[in-house]
Amino acid sequence: SLPDSFFREEYELNAAIARMPKPQLSLWDGIVMGGGAGVSVHGRFRVATERSLFAMPETSIGFFPDVGASSFLSSLPGELGTYIALSGDRLEAADLMYTGLATHFVPSTNLAELEREICQVQTAEDIEELLSRLGSAAPTPPLQEVRATVDRCFAHDTVEAIESSLAADGGVWAAKALQTLSQRSPTSKKVALRLLRGAKNKTLGQCLRAEFRASQRFVTPPSDFFEGIRAALVDKDKKPIWAPQQTAEVTDAIVEEYFAALSKPELDV
């Protein structure tokens, strides 16, 4: 089926990029979201510019951060990955460097020279030297200023506790984050959080296998994914009606459906 072959081939590609001995260099000179992150973030060099805009926005369309996101987001410092996964908020260059999602910052005015010279390099060390020479320091990251709040509020193992912590914080940033989370699919948030917490000490392959199970459930009706696509891309009313609508209504049994063994071949990576 299309849902099987699409996600199976995509995740196999993500795993292959991560295993590839040849260093991959990706230029994030614009929008990098979802699948675009998957074909770049697993490579060795990720170059941000002042025009970079990164997000894993899947919870806003009733899906979940996939393409290995449970692996690479759970490995970020503190609870930055939990915040990024659940909120889908957009990050610019400074925060990409701060989180470690980007490895280098190069002004866009230097990209033409970078693209010329990259053809002449022989080793990963040559690439490192080139990026260091053409790069510069990124601006002050906004996330650094709210890092303590992020780590405190997003440290919990349930979405309800995270949202309660944000509500109790009383700060402007926490209130905005809570408002964002309230618009996301409750099911998506719970599945995403379980994937993130379950990713600790697991390989990328193990994470992708769990994500593949979840992906196949999300593309099987009934699912918030269909409502999310309707609201975002079909009717474009930006008013999805999630089912269940409240976080507390998403029971453990509902979440468990997204982690159940498949009745077809599992992902083999």
Side-chain angles (χ1 to χ4, degrees):
S1 68
L2 178 60
D4 180 296
S5 60
F6 177 87
F7 289 102
R8 191 180 296 273
E9 290 178 19
E10 183 179 29
Y11 295 176
E12 287 173 348
L13 174 61
N14 301 146
I17 290 172
R19 292 193 304 266
M20 183 172 62
K22 182 175 291 188
Q24 173 180 291
L25 185 151
S26 300
L27 303 180
W28 288 355
D29 188 35
I31 295 173
V32 183
M33 296 186 184
V39 295
S40 55
V41 76
H42 300 295
R44 179 165 175 179
F45 300 102
R46 289 100 56 191
V47 179
T49 76
E50 75 281 359
R51 299 189 292 215
S52 297
L53 193 63
F54 180 103
M56 296 300 293
E58 289 83 0
T59 58
S60 67
I61 59 167
F63 200 60
F64 68 99
D66 63 335
V67 296
S70 59
S71 177
F72 66 77
L73 290 181
S74 66
S75 68
L76 298 186
E79 296 299 332
L80 292 170
T82 309
Y83 156 66
I84 293 167
L86 298 186
S87 70
D89 278 355
R90 299 178 176 190
L91 307 182
E92 297 183 352
D95 282 332
L96 290 173
M97 291 296 294
Y98 178 66
T99 58
L101 287 165
T103 59
H104 297 78
F105 175 77
V106 175
S108 60
T109 50
N110 288 350
L111 289 185
E113 183 176 355
L114 172 58
E115 291 176 14
R116 282 195 305 271
E117 295 197 31
I118 199 69
C119 298
Q120 311 303 321
V121 301
Q122 300 296 320
T123 66
E125 290 70 26
D126 292 341
I127 299 175
E128 185 71 53
E129 188 279 329
L130 176 61
L131 292 174
S132 297
R133 177 161 51 84
L134 296 179
S136 62
T140 301
L143 276 179
Q144 187 173 27
E145 300 176 11
V146 295
R147 174 67 184 280
T149 302
V150 171
D151 286 353
R152 182 176 65 255
C153 293
F154 284 86
H156 305 283
D157 291 331
T158 68
V159 176
E160 290 92 337
I162 289 172
E163 293 177 341
S164 293
S165 185
L166 289 168
D169 180 81
V172 174
W173 185 89
K176 182 180 178 182
L178 180 60
Q179 174 63 21
T180 297
L181 289 188
S182 72
Q183 298 169 354
R184 305 303 184 232
S185 160
T187 302
S188 294
K189 290 183 293 186
K190 286 205 168 183
V191 172
L193 183 61
R194 176 164 163 179
L195 282 166
L196 280 174
R197 296 297 186 254
K200 295 292 185 181
N201 302 315
K202 289 187 178 178
T203 65
L204 174 61
Q206 291 173 315
C207 291
L208 285 168
R209 287 193 285 276
E211 290 179 12
F212 184 71
R213 287 184 176 183
S215 75
Q216 298 307 288
R217 174 61 186 86
F218 269 107
V219 296
T220 303
S223 163
D224 274 353
F225 183 50
F226 296 91
E227 173 63 9
I229 293 298
R230 179 206 63 75
L233 301 177
V234 181
D235 298 332
K236 300 183 180 180
D237 57 22
K238 310 298 182 185
K239 297 179 180 179
I241 301 175
W242 307 122
Q245 288 187 277
Q246 302 300 321
T247 302
E249 296 172 348
V250 183
T251 64
D252 290 345
I254 292 175
V255 174
E256 192 62 39
E257 293 178 16
Y258 294 81
F259 295 84
L262 301 176
S263 59
K264 58 186 177 182
E266 302 275 0
L267 183 70
D268 183 19
V269 292

